[in-house]
Amino acid sequence: MTETIINLETVNPIEFFGVNNGKLDILKKKFPLVKILSRGTQIKLSGAPEQIEGAREKIELILQYLERNGHMSANYFEQILGGDDEKVIDNFMDRNPNDVLVFGPNGKTVRARTANQKRMVEACDKNDILFAIGPAGTGKTYTAVALAVRALKNKSVKKIILTRPAVEAGESLGFLPGDLKEKIDPYLRPLYDALDDMIPADKLGYYMTTRTIEIAPLAYMRGRTLDNAFIILDEAQNTNDLQIKMFLTRIGPNAKAIITGDPTQIDLPKNQQSGLFKATRILKNIEGIAHIELDEEDVVRHRLVKSIIKAYNKDDGKVDEPKKSL
């Protein structure tokens, strides 16, 4: 007799066990020769090796589905346990992992929707550091977060670290109410919004509490070594040379990083230059570092956003005409 333990930390245990352990009872009936015990976020299997292996394969298939969708009906649960042919198993497996990046709450699918977003996915798979540069609304941050969540769910990394420079866009932090966290959180809000789309609220709360997912201002990265992590530096156009160098030199040997930025939205003081321009220039031809540029064709917000970006780009190429005196 052998034993094996399967961790359920990546899913909601209630979704796996069912209300009043209804799904667990179904699992036990399917494998009567295997002793199945639940212990918090773990499940323990005891029995003959071949029986355990059969149960383990089915359980992992169920966990894969729950990680992608967050919920599984009792009917689907029974279908997976009862179907041994390839067609039934294929139904529940992710056959094209690069097509759907993440299955969010209620079965929402997050995909790379444009040509350059798909290039981001391919570049991230082949490189450890990726610069994704483009205007607002091109999905660079959203796609980066989706790639990070995918890596966490696939157990390629142990944690996600999302960071932004807390630079003021014409407003003063000092006038905002609350403590430091309350002052800084509005700057990090877009990262929270993306995560809300991809991870159920209860699981996201667990990840944040255990620091599996960490969202922090860039200044908090100083002095750290970020290993076994997927790290995103968002709004990198608002970093100076020293800040972006500090970030890039934090990356550990088993980590991936995506740096996103919009050169048209620099909020630094007039006497400071963005460090993003220098970083993209001097790191251009280093193996393992990729560069993707997104443009107005990648805009996935309101249809008018694309027209707004084009209008501003056109106007930026003009020389302001002198005003006529009245």
Side-chain angles (χ1 to χ4, degrees), residues 82-107:
D84 291 319
D85 60 88
E86 242 178 73
K87 188 176 178 183
V88 172
I89 291 172
D90 262 2
N91 236 7
F92 295 94
M93 291 189 73
D94 189 358
R95 284 166 286 179
N96 190 353
N98 275 344
D99 183 21
V100 178
L101 296 175
V102 179
F103 285 83
N106 302 316

Side-chain angles (χ1 to χ4, degrees), residues 101-102 110-113 116-125 129-133 138-152 157 159-164 190-191 194-195 198-199 213 229-235 247 256-261 292 294 300:
L101 296 175
V102 179
V110 178
R111 305 170 185 264
R113 294 169 57 183
N116 284 324
Q117 288 176 12
K118 289 174 182 176
R119 287 180 63 215
M120 274 186 69
V121 175
E122 292 170 6
C124 181
D125 289 342
I129 297 176
L130 169 63
F131 285 87
I133 311 300
T138 50
K140 54 191 183 296
T141 298
Y142 198 80
T143 304
V145 173
L147 286 165
V149 172
R150 184 186 69 168
L152 184 66
V157 297
K159 67 186 302 183
I160 295 173
I161 299 172
L162 309 174
T163 185
R164 271 185 163 196
L191 301 173
L195 288 170
M198 302 174 198
I199 302 175
I213 295 179
F230 199 116
I231 316 141
I232 297 172
L233 170 56
D234 196 35
E235 299 284 352
F247 172 80
K256 275 188 178 284
I258 296 182
I259 298 94
T260 71
I292 300 294
L294 300 97
V300 290

Side-chain angles (χ1 to χ4, degrees), residues 126-271:
K126 296 175 183 177
N127 298 274
D128 288 334
I129 297 176
L130 169 63
F131 285 87
I133 311 300
T138 50
K140 54 191 183 296
T141 298
Y142 198 80
T143 304
V145 173
L147 286 165
V149 172
R150 184 186 69 168
L152 184 66
K153 288 188 174 184
N154 291 344
K155 300 180 176 64
S156 303
V157 297
K158 293 182 179 178
K159 67 186 302 183
I160 295 173
I161 299 172
L162 309 174
T163 185
R164 271 185 163 196
V167 174
E168 306 161 34
E171 300 156 40
S172 174
L173 279 170
F175 291 105
L176 292 173
D179 58 19
L180 180 61
K181 183 180 184 302
E182 290 169 328
K183 289 175 185 287
I184 288 171
D185 268 0
Y187 291 89
L188 307 174
R189 190 68 251 171
L191 301 173
Y192 286 105
D193 290 343
L195 288 170
D196 286 340
D197 271 2
M198 302 174 198
I199 302 175
D202 55 344
K203 191 187 294 186
L204 180 56
Y206 169 78
Y207 282 153
M208 300 288 282
T209 302
T210 58
R211 297 175 70 85
T212 302
I213 295 179
E214 182 181 348
I215 303 178
L218 180 59
Y220 286 30
M221 299 300 108
R222 189 174 298 279
R224 299 177 62 182
T225 299
L226 308 175
D227 196 12
N228 290 311
F230 199 116
I231 316 141
I232 297 172
L233 170 56
D234 196 35
E235 299 284 352
Q237 77 276 3
N238 287 327
T239 61
N240 59 36
D241 281 346
L242 291 176
Q243 287 173 323
I244 200 164
K245 181 183 177 184
M246 177 273 290
F247 172 80
L248 291 169
T249 54
R250 298 305 94 205
I251 299 169
N254 298 310
K256 275 188 178 284
I258 296 182
I259 298 94
T260 71
D262 177 1
T264 67
Q265 292 189 347
I266 298 174
D267 300 313
L268 292 168
K270 289 184 179 179
N271 62 339

